[in-house]
Amino acid sequence: MTYIVNDACIACKYTDCVEVCPVDCFYEGENMLVIHPDECIDCGVCEPECPADAIRPDTEPDMEKWVEFNRKYSEMWPVIITKKDPLPGAEERDGEQGKLEKYFSEAPGEGG
């Protein structure tokens, strides 16, 4: 098992999760985070930290595409271990549907 970040993170990018991760397996894109599935130790401490409920176990239905999504971008983006402010408008976009199609950016974040 591993944990993944899904599209609920897009355009919000809360980073509460990165501070509790014992193995630093979060990677930062311009407007979301992902988890490297091969680095995640399945401890689950990140899941309750996410205000947007964007972190889910891969054992839930239809998660295979998110495992591959997280793998792809974790290999392209820099690691993030320090909490940062959420994106502007995060509260308004929290829970919005269709964020992958509307807002996703492949651009890397700053990391750090």
Side-chain angles (χ1 to χ4, degrees):
M1 186 179 89
T2 187
Y3 284 83
I4 58 87
V5 178
N6 63 31
D7 56 344
C9 183
I10 298 171
C12 292
K13 198 166 83 171
Y14 294 104
T15 56
D16 307 66
C17 52
V18 303
E19 285 196 320
V20 298
C21 180
V23 294
D24 302 334
C25 65
F26 281 89
Y27 291 80
E28 182 184 16
E30 180 178 38
N31 66 359
M32 78 173 293
L33 303 176
V34 292
I35 295 171
H36 195 301
D38 297 336
E39 296 173 3
C40 177
I41 60 170
D42 315 327
C43 68
V45 297
C46 59
E47 187 179 15
E49 296 299 317
C50 181
D53 196 31
I55 300 173
R56 311 299 311 158
D58 73 342
T59 53
E60 291 185 355
D62 303 318
M63 287 293 147
E64 190 170 301
K65 77 171 191 170
W66 287 109
V67 172
E68 291 312 310
F69 182 95
N70 276 245
R71 181 183 314 282
K72 175 182 177 179
Y73 290 103
S74 65
E75 293 175 357
M76 297 169 54
W77 294 344
V79 69
I80 178 171
I81 59 172
T82 306
K83 183 177 176 177
K84 299 178 180 181
D85 290 335
L87 294 176
E91 289 184 19
E92 292 80 24
R93 291 207 169 110
D94 189 1
E96 185 177 330
Q97 297 297 309
K99 294 198 300 182
L100 183 63
E101 297 77 20
K102 291 180 195 175
Y103 307 120
F104 177 69
S105 169
E106 290 189 347
E110 296 175 4

